[in-house]
Amino acid sequence: VDVHMTDLIEGRHRLEDFKGLAACGGFSYGDVLGAGRGWATSILERPGLREQFARFFERPDSFSLGVCNGCQMLAQLKGLVPGAEHWPRFLRNRSEQYEARLAMVEVLDSPSILLAGMAGSRIPVVVAHGEGQARFDQPGHQDQAAVALRFVDNSGAVTEAYPANPNGSPAGITGLSSRDGRATLMMPHPERVFRTLQMSWHPAGWGEDSPWMRMFRNARAWVG
């Protein structure tokens, strides 16, 4: 179901009617000058909407995913998300430019319900962002955060080197989970490579679905 912010603001939809929220990428606010922050501000500055999001995140039967601009937005809403207090903000890429390419990420062992059963996988994924560099607010937050995805180089080693790490995030961090796993955010775009034909190359044995399809099947299985 496509739900626009105006639908929530004007009451045509309410989050209480849904179990899952996918905050998508797609050049929110022109993808410049804190695009995700502008999106989050449109929620935080409206008391009724802020309360609606807080109630949704607190519901034990809800899950959420933030991708790219949606990742930036959820990171700015971390005060409303249980178990997300150590999440970073996502700031201008170290390269000072928009980066769009296939990158290699490793899925880490995290509580994320969407990445269940995928830990240890190293999978190509689309990146397309200008503001993806993770910046933690306090010393120690990086060590306490539930990191779910990180950039690796061609040998599988964690990297901060450009271009394998397109934004310069520390320790290659590019995806995180809340402590209970119901909220997941990431800068890469798995929804753009869920089919093998969207890959520049793939092993012949993969068939039609890429490994990223597992995320969406995990969501369906969790909802039950």
Side-chain angles (χ1 to χ4, degrees):
V1 180
D2 289 330
V3 178
H4 291 250
M5 286 301 299
T6 52
D7 292 327
L8 295 176
I9 292 168
E10 297 176 12
R12 289 188 292 270
H13 283 295
R14 294 189 60 81
L15 293 178
E16 64 190 30
D17 297 326
F18 301 94
K19 287 191 174 182
L21 163 68
C24 60
F27 298 95
S28 166
Y29 293 85
D31 199 41
V32 294
L33 303 177
R37 185 169 69 249
W39 189 356
T41 298
S42 71
I43 296 166
L44 295 173
E45 294 300 317
R46 291 179 168 88
L49 199 55
R50 177 187 179 119
E51 177 61 25
Q52 188 177 158
F53 272 84
R55 288 198 306 269
F56 177 84
F57 292 135
E58 289 169 1
R59 276 173 39 203
D61 68 337
S62 72
F63 75 92
S64 52
L65 168 67
V67 171
C68 198
N69 287 153
C71 170
Q72 300 163 351
M73 183 271 272
L74 280 187
Q76 294 288 334
L77 295 181
K78 67 180 182 179
L80 306 182
V81 181
E85 61 272 14
H86 300 126
W87 282 357
R89 293 171 292 141
F90 292 87
L91 306 179
R92 188 72 175 162
N93 295 343
R94 188 182 295 170
S95 66
E96 292 291 335
Q97 62 185 5
Y98 176 81
E99 302 288 346
R101 64 173 58 84
L102 274 174
M104 186 71 75
V105 296
E106 180 180 27
V107 183
L108 302 182
D109 188 10
S110 77
S112 172
I113 64 167
L114 298 179
L115 298 172
M118 297 176 67
S121 302
R122 294 171 182 160
I123 321 172
V125 67
V126 167
V127 293
H129 58 256
E131 299 178 335
Q133 184 180 175
R135 183 77 55 82
F136 291 87
D137 291 336
Q138 298 292 334
H141 278 195
Q142 180 175 328
D143 295 332
Q144 297 176 71
V147 178
L149 295 175
R150 61 186 179 186
F151 292 114
V152 295
D153 63 20
N154 290 343
S155 65
V158 177
T159 184
E160 296 182 6
Y162 180 87
N165 179 331
N167 52 49
S169 290
I173 295 170
T174 193
L176 300 102
S177 170
S178 60
R179 281 199 300 272
D180 66 3
R182 292 188 299 105
T184 305
L185 52 74
M186 59 184 69
M187 285 307 301
H189 287 269
E191 81 285 356
R192 296 190 189 180
V193 282
F194 67 93
R195 301 180 67 195
T196 51
L197 60 78
Q198 297 169 303
M199 299 279 192
S200 57
W201 177 88
H202 62 84
W206 275 10
E208 182 177 350
D209 296 339
S210 91
W212 292 112
M213 183 63 84
R214 176 69 180 265
M215 280 183 54
F216 305 98
R217 292 188 173 126
N218 281 341
R220 182 65 183 87
W222 188 82
V223 170

